[in-house]
């Protein structure tokens, strides 16, 4: 018989607060057109993107995360020293080690929480949210800070006509804490490693380091049509599974917050899922671009800040991207 005492966690977990940070520089499509042969009309029709935010040298992954975290803490009414764990999802922190989560935890005054980074691409926020829920329910942390943050401008090939216009920078954060009722549903997540080549870094770091001068810095590339088909058809199925796992239907939803990859993907998913007219759909991609792990919390923050969504609304969130990986769950908005 085990001698380990049972953990003293909460029966459930919920999102208590949300915060976002977008870099000050707004980059219109006209800037992108300086390096690719395209048009504003083509970019908008293919992606729905009109502008995106690019970070300055001072707006580092850590600095943007600290700003977003401060807003999330204030929104939740939670003090930094109450944070028991910091989870950061990012693919654009260039230090292999240490994790940027440790720096962020120190800079917000969180004391000595558990702190680690995860790499799950555009599904990273969903992965982090699921881990945070587990920590709260299991009792390892009372409050968890989950951050999705990217500086994808550092990994964008501005001469690649297929991707130069897609990516933006930013940070989104949420505080996950105890709840007396279910407020974060079961997560439907997974991966399809046979499709890992459809979104990838052009050159592995070890190959890049072994090259003599003139080699272009590694960038993110993708097979657009293959990704589009996968996202529209396969992710709609995953989204439906998340609704089923939460025990609700599309009619019960108030808000849909998909990863802000592309407006065409978003609109196609809405159609495939047959979402009712009353469901508010996040379309933050138009002015923020694709910010990978940051896109869902940034979109959530904007919907709440503008009044397009309200506290207590039931929202379906789904992220999907490189790997190919995905994560979907139903949450109650803070």
């Amino acid at each position: 018989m085990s001698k380990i005492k049972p953990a003293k966690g909460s029966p459930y977990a919920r999102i208590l607060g949300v915060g976002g940070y977008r870099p000050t520089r707004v980059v219109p499509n006209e800037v992108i057109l300086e390096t690719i042969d395209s048009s504003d009309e083509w970019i908008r029709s293919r992606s729905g993107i009109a502008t995106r935010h690019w970070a300055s040298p001072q707006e580092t992954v850590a600095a943007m995360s600290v700003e977003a975290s401060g807003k999330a803490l204030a929104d939740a009414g939670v003090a930094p020293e109450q944070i028991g764990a910091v989870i950061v999802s990012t693919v654009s922190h260039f230090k292999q080690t240490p994790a940027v989560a440790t720096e962020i935890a120190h800079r917000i005054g969180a004391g000595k929480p558990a702190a680690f980074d995860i790499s799950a691409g555009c599904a990273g926020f969903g992965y982090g949210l699921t881990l945070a829920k587990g920590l709260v329910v299991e009792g390892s942390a009372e409050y968890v800070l989950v951050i999705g943050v990217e500086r994808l401008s550092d990994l964008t090939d501005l001469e690649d006509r297929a991707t130069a216009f897609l990516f933006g920078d930013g940070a989104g954060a949420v505080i996950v804490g105890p709840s007396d009722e279910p407020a974060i549903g079961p997560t439907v997540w997974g991966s399809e490693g046979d499709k890992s080549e459809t979104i990838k870094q052009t050159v592995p770091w070890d190959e890049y380091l072994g090259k003599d001068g003139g080699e272009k810095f590694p960038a993110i590339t993708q097979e657009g049509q293959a990704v589009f088909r996968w996202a529209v058809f396969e992710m709609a199925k995953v989204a439906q599974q998340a609704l089923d796992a939460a025990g609700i239907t599309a009619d019960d939803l108030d808000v849909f917050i998909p990863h802000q990859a592309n407006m065409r993907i978003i609109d196609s998913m809405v159609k495939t899922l047959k979402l009712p007219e009353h469901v508010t759909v996040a379309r933050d991609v138009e002015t923020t671009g694709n910010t990978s792990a940051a896109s869902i919390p940034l979109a959530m923050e904007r919907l709440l800040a503008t009044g397009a969504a309200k506290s207590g609304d039931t929202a379906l969130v789904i992220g999907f991207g490189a790997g190919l990986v995905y994560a979907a769950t139903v949450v109650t908005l803070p």
Side-chain angles (χ1 to χ4, degrees):
M1 183 175 181
S2 175
K3 297 179 180 179
I4 300 174
K5 295 180 179 180
K8 296 181 180 179
S10 170
Y12 306 108
R14 69 183 306 119
I15 299 174
L16 300 172
V18 60
Y21 180 83
R22 293 171 174 81
T24 55
R25 183 187 177 193
V26 177
V27 179
N29 288 338
E30 286 72 20
V31 172
I32 307 299
L33 296 176
E34 294 174 3
T35 52
I36 61 171
D37 180 16
S38 188
S39 68
D40 177 66
E41 180 183 4
W42 187 88
I43 293 174
R44 288 174 185 258
S45 66
R46 299 285 292 191
S47 69
I49 299 172
T51 61
R52 72 283 294 146
H53 295 256
W54 283 355
S56 68
Q58 292 73 36
E59 291 169 315
T60 63
V61 165
M64 293 190 293
S65 297
V66 169
E67 292 292 329
S69 299
K71 294 176 182 178
L73 286 165
D75 190 44
V78 172
E81 56 269 22
Q82 292 178 277
I83 296 297
V86 177
I87 303 172
V88 178
S89 179
T90 184
V91 299
S92 48
H93 173 57
F94 286 163
K95 289 183 180 179
Q96 199 75 36
T97 191
V100 73
T102 60
E103 177 184 349
I104 295 165
H106 173 69
R107 290 177 61 173
I108 66 172
K112 299 180 180 180
F116 57 95
D117 298 350
I118 61 174
S119 176
C122 303
F125 176 74
Y127 275 55
L129 185 65
T130 302
L131 293 173
K133 173 188 173 183
L135 291 173
V136 172
V137 172
E138 186 268 340
S140 292
E142 184 175 12
Y143 299 101
V144 180
L145 170 61
V146 181
I147 302 166
V149 57
E150 302 291 2
R151 271 182 55 120
L152 294 179
S153 57
D154 292 334
L155 290 169
T156 299
D157 181 353
L158 294 178
E159 296 179 351
D160 180 8
R161 189 172 184 270
T163 61
F165 57 89
L166 286 176
F167 302 118
D169 304 335
V174 300
I175 306 298
V176 177
S179 174
D180 293 330
E181 60 184 15
I184 300 175
T187 298
V188 177
W189 57 354
S191 64
E192 298 183 25
D194 60 316
K195 301 180 181 67
S196 62
E197 293 295 299
T198 56
I199 305 175
K200 64 180 182 179
Q201 183 172 304
T202 52
V203 181
W205 291 117
D206 55 347
E207 290 185 21
Y208 174 75
L209 292 173
K211 299 288 185 180
D212 294 326
E215 186 69 22
K216 293 181 68 175
F217 194 76
I220 295 174
T221 184
Q222 69 175 24
E223 298 174 16
Q225 286 302 314
V227 173
F228 180 88
R229 289 192 296 270
W230 176 77
V232 170
F233 297 109
E234 298 303 321
M235 291 306 95
K237 298 175 186 177
V238 172
Q240 184 59 55
Q241 290 171 22
L243 291 174
D244 295 341
I248 67 172
T249 69
D251 290 335
D252 298 314
L253 282 178
D254 300 304
V255 184
F256 178 46
I257 311 178
H259 163 50
Q260 301 294 292
N262 180 306
M263 195 75 80
R264 291 171 63 209
I265 291 176
I266 294 170
D267 290 342
S268 294
M269 290 185 71
V270 169
K271 183 177 180 180
T272 302
L273 287 167
K274 299 179 180 179
L275 295 184
E277 288 289 332
H278 74 264
V279 176
T280 297
V281 179
R283 292 187 170 88
D284 193 43
V285 65
E286 180 179 5
T287 57
T288 305
N290 179 343
T291 57
S292 189
S295 77
I296 290 175
L298 277 174
M300 182 185 296
E301 185 262 350
R302 175 162 281 173
L303 288 174
L304 290 167
T306 59
K310 62 183 185 299
S311 175
D313 278 353
T314 299
L316 169 63
V317 300
I318 179 170
F320 44 86
L324 293 170
V325 296
Y326 54 88
T329 188
V330 175
V331 304
T332 301
L333 294 183

